[in-house]
Amino acid sequence: MKIAFLTPEYPHPKTGSSGGIGTSIKNLAMGLLAEGCSVRVLVYAQKEEGIFYDNGICIQQIRNVKFKGLSWYLTRKKLENIINTLYGDKEIDLVEAPDWTGITSFISPEKCPVVIRLNGSDTYFCHLDQRPVKWVNRFHEKRALKNADGLLSVSQFTADTTNEVFGLKKKFTIIPNCIDMDVFSNNNINSNTNGNTNGNKNNSNKNNNTILYFGSLIRKKGLLELPFIFNAVVAKKPEAKLILIGKDVPDIISGNSSTWQMMQSLFSPAALLNVTYLGAVPYDEIKNQISKATVCVFPTFAEALPVSWIEAMALEQPIVASNIGWAPEVIDDGVNGFLVHPKDHLHYAAKIIHLLEDGDLQKEFGLAAKKKVSEKFSIQKVAQQSLVFYQSLIQ
């Protein structure tokens, strides 16, 4: 089978910066390759046209059409022509696109099926953030969903909420995001391997009492709640440390150019002394920091199905995460992590302290978390589920 992904981002130096959509596509593409598929990624909004290969994945860079007032339409028609040509030349059998900003709203290939996979549209995230959405994004996203030949969602919550915000009654097949278990394994973290199956919990390099958050520093991920949570942790456990990793994002609601700057004013003086912000760091260093941390925290308000949670779980880390919407589809509360509402600061802090002080529970949650990822979120499982869905459309 020959699958194409249409996307505005892909994690490679030639294609520019990438977020969760690009990472999810690359993970799935690697899984499809392993199943014997051919994979092409059509990356639009590029500075130049070109084709190159990334570990067997064909990456096609596409420039948007520049024409005042009509760029959005002409770019979509250009993408439609590319898809028609690739399909006619038997280079692809099907194209999958994300829901974000509805790129396929005016793309109607002659014969090639178009699939949309929900990772969270702009309308969806604005709804969760309780802020207005741009009408043009809502228009394109709704039109794209209505015209798609097949619909996937990474979580049932995202599917149900998407139907609600757009006033639709669409049927979505639920297939989650995935990660490569071989990459997110303690045996592949050079500084944290000691030959046992639970190396991160028994390693001398592990930082005791260290709490880690990794991801963008942004309001929707609960970063303005995290200072209050950590203040409560430090009040009971003064030796606790907080490490933050990720890009500092401007706050869209207040207009402040730095979420990190806003956060600093919310920490107590004692807590702020125990906070380290590393900024954006290379991928391998993130894995190293995950492996060394005692607890990972994700107090987010808006996700579809977060890859970061799965990565931490695969590395056998105990997690305290948000209990909103999608969360129970990833973490079983009290089995492989704790789920708490981000605004319940004292309860959230109590769960963190519980894990910091209970090494046996850390190990228990860590092993259960890795088992959950292996059973539900591995690239092999998700690639096979996706192939069954693709085949049903092609036939």
Side-chain angles (χ1 to χ4, degrees):
M1 195 179 299
K2 301 173 182 177
I3 307 301
F5 292 94
L6 180 61
T7 174
E9 60 183 54
Y10 182 82
H12 191 279
K14 288 186 177 181
T15 52
S17 61
S18 174
I21 291 174
T23 300
S24 298
I25 288 173
K26 183 168 184 176
N27 288 342
L28 178 55
M30 295 303 295
L32 293 172
L33 281 180
E35 296 294 324
C37 294
S38 167
V39 180
R40 180 182 290 254
V41 181
L42 307 174
V43 192
Y44 60 91
Q46 292 290 286
K47 295 179 180 179
E48 60 184 11
E49 303 277 338
I51 293 178
F52 65 93
Y53 284 84
D54 179 28
N55 295 315
I57 304 169
C58 178
I59 311 298
Q60 182 169 345
Q61 296 172 278
I62 302 167
R63 292 179 62 184
N64 287 7
V65 178
K66 301 295 184 182
F67 194 93
K68 188 175 182 179
L70 286 175
S71 294
W72 66 270
Y73 179 78
L74 295 176
T75 295
R76 283 167 167 83
K77 288 297 139 182
K78 176 180 180 178
L79 295 171
E80 180 182 277
N81 290 334
I82 290 172
I83 292 168
N84 281 333
T85 299
L86 290 171
Y87 186 84
D89 293 342
K90 300 187 184 304
E91 293 289 332
I92 62 173
D93 297 320
L94 175 147
V95 62
E96 178 184 308
D99 51 342
W100 181 258
T101 67
I103 187 61
T104 58
S105 60
F106 283 83
I107 294 178
S108 301
E110 295 169 3
K111 295 181 179 179
C112 182
V114 175
V115 173
I116 291 181
R117 187 184 300 253
L118 302 185
N119 270 286
S121 63
D122 187 36
T123 306
Y124 169 88
F125 281 116
C126 285
H127 171 76
L128 295 182
D129 285 345
Q130 298 182 332
R131 56 186 174 85
V133 63
K134 293 179 180 178
W135 73 265
V136 67
N137 285 351
R138 179 184 171 84
F139 168 78
H140 284 302
E141 290 171 347
K142 184 173 183 177
R143 181 183 172 93
L145 290 169
K146 291 175 72 173
N147 293 344
D149 298 298
L151 294 168
L152 294 168
S153 178
V154 297
S155 70
Q156 187 64 56
F157 175 81
T158 303
D160 294 342
T161 305
T162 296
N163 270 331
E164 176 189 343
V165 298
F166 288 112
L168 299 173
K169 294 182 179 179
K170 292 289 187 178
K171 179 179 177 7
F172 291 90
T173 297
I174 310 302
I175 302 179
N177 285 323
C178 61
I179 65 166
D180 186 344
M181 292 290 290
D182 291 333
V183 172
F184 283 88
S185 165
N186 291 310
N187 293 330
N188 285 332
I189 310 298
N190 291 334
S191 64
N192 290 283
T193 53
N194 64 354
N196 62 55
T197 57
N198 195 29
N200 68 325
K201 297 299 170 192
N202 297 308
N203 196 281
S204 59
N205 288 328
K206 188 166 183 64
N207 296 325
N208 291 328
N209 298 310
T210 300
I211 303 159
L212 173 68
Y213 167 83
F214 63 100
S216 298
L217 270 61
I218 188 171
R219 180 187 293 263
K220 73 178 183 180
K221 292 186 181 289
L223 270 292
L224 298 184
E225 308 301 326
L226 188 53
F228 297 108
I229 294 168
F230 188 59
N231 290 346
V233 172
V234 170
K236 293 287 183 67
K237 202 168 181 65
E239 68 272 28
K241 308 292 184 183
L242 175 64
I243 296 177
L244 305 169
I245 295 177
K247 179 182 177 182
D248 183 15
V249 179
D251 184 57
I252 194 169
I253 294 178
S254 68
N256 196 305
S257 62
S258 169
T259 299
W260 168 234
Q261 184 181 60
M262 296 173 68
M263 291 176 67
Q264 291 178 68
S265 65
L266 303 178
F267 286 108
S268 68
L272 186 57
L273 289 173
N274 289 6
V275 178
T276 302
Y277 175 41
L278 299 179
V281 304
Y283 206 51
D284 285 343
E285 177 58 20
I286 292 176
K287 291 187 288 185
N288 185 42
Q289 290 291 341
I290 297 170
S291 185
K292 291 197 299 183
T294 313
V295 179
C296 290
V297 293
F298 302 103
T300 184
F301 291 102
E303 296 279 9
L305 192 135
V307 172
S308 56
W309 297 19
I310 303 170
E311 291 171 342
M313 292 168 72
L315 286 170
E316 302 175 33
Q317 285 294 29
I319 292 173
V320 183
S322 165
N323 66 351
I324 298 172
W326 65 90
E329 298 181 54
V330 184
I331 292 174
D332 307 292
D333 187 26
V335 176
N336 41 45
F338 284 130
L339 299 178
V340 186
H341 196 281
K343 285 190 175 294
D344 193 349
H345 303 146
L346 294 180
H347 187 201
Y348 206 112
K351 293 298 185 183
I352 293 173
I353 293 169
H354 185 180
L355 282 168
L356 290 176
E357 294 179 345
D358 191 336
D360 290 337
L361 187 60
Q362 291 174 31
K363 295 176 184 178
E364 181 183 326
F365 275 13
L367 291 172
K370 183 172 184 177
K371 183 174 184 289
K372 177 74 175 282
V373 175
S374 178
E375 292 174 348
K376 187 173 181 179
F377 304 114
S378 71
I379 60 173
Q380 293 85 359
K381 297 276 186 182
V382 172
Q384 289 164 8
Q385 292 172 359
S386 297
L387 279 175
V388 171
F389 180 82
Y390 297 152
Q391 193 64 51
S392 69
L393 289 180
I394 293 172
Q395 289 176 341

